[in-house]
Amino acid sequence: MAFSADELRVLRRALAIALNPTPVAEEDVQDCLRLAESVDEAIAEAGRLRAFLLADLARYRDALPGTAGSYTELLQDALAAGYDPRPEDLAALRTLRGAPSGDALLRRCRALAEQSVRARLAGRAVTPGPRTRLLALPGGRAANDPDQPKRPERPAPVKEPVKPRPAPKPSEVFPPRRKPAAPPAQHSMTG
């Protein structure tokens, strides 16, 4: 994500306000709200693009082996963008073992899948939660609106002890290998 010079100026002011909460001018509040809306819109657009690319990847994977070149190219782009290969990707790449790019991509995907599983087992996998909306800044719209009801303070949540998750079985992490489909019978023409 790239910011324009104006957006960086607003971001710098918002950070200064966050570090030194003082009454804020209405113009600064409006600039911060516009920037927050722009960031939310960019995040939503990135989510839509990711969903489209993953659906495209699934379509190419389902049409293998005829789409091998396009599938491997899309998969490489997805991996570069942080995609964790799924079991169906590994199975699809096993069918493309004969191609040099298929072998190399299969090794890369296996390594990434193994890293991902190890990270999840170690509890290091962080899934990004939904971004919260910017509701008000100190001295902003909510502070100047007498009709705005004040929110009651929530009590602190009670933390329950965390139970350790059991380690998954290898069969849950890596599906069993499937036998490759027999090649279609070729018909010879006799004349």
Side-chain angles (χ1 to χ4, degrees):
M1 180 181 292
F3 290 102
S4 70
D6 287 337
E7 289 171 332
L8 284 175
R9 180 182 49 78
V10 171
L11 186 59
R12 180 180 280 157
R13 276 194 323 219
L15 290 173
I17 291 167
L19 292 173
N20 186 16
T22 58
V24 181
E26 181 68 24
E27 179 184 334
D28 290 342
V29 171
Q30 293 302 318
D31 288 345
C32 290
L33 290 172
R34 278 192 294 275
L35 179 62
E37 288 173 4
S38 295
V39 169
D40 286 342
E41 186 178 317
I43 289 171
E45 183 62 29
R48 285 191 294 272
L49 179 61
R50 179 176 171 80
F52 172 78
L53 292 176
L54 291 179
D56 211 21
L57 185 65
R59 278 192 295 276
Y60 278 95
R61 182 177 52 236
D62 292 343
L64 284 174
T67 58
S70 299
Y71 172 71
T72 56
E73 187 177 315
L74 276 175
L75 184 58
Q76 287 174 348
D77 291 345
L79 293 173
Y83 173 71
D84 280 335
R86 297 180 180 163
E88 53 267 20
D89 293 313
L90 296 173
L93 288 172
R94 283 187 206 106
T95 65
L96 302 176
R97 277 189 175 156
S101 63
D103 281 337
L105 196 53
L106 177 60
R107 284 192 300 275
R108 180 178 173 199
C109 285
R110 279 184 179 159
L112 289 172
E114 185 177 331
Q115 286 175 357
S116 177
V117 168
R118 288 180 190 271
R120 280 194 302 262
L121 291 175
R124 291 182 286 149
V126 177
T127 56
R131 188 176 161 287
T132 57
R133 296 277 306 148
L134 177 63
L135 298 177
L137 294 171
R141 211 182 296 157
N144 297 332
D145 190 359
D147 297 332
Q148 180 91 9
K150 297 204 178 210
R151 283 195 211 168
E153 291 189 23
R154 294 182 188 170
V158 177
K159 291 193 176 189
E160 297 180 21
V162 178
K163 296 178 185 176
R165 293 189 319 187
K169 298 176 191 172
S171 62
E172 294 172 339
V173 177
F174 300 104
R177 290 188 178 181
R178 295 184 182 163
K179 293 181 182 178
Q186 293 190 4
H187 300 285
S188 63
M189 293 181 28
T190 57

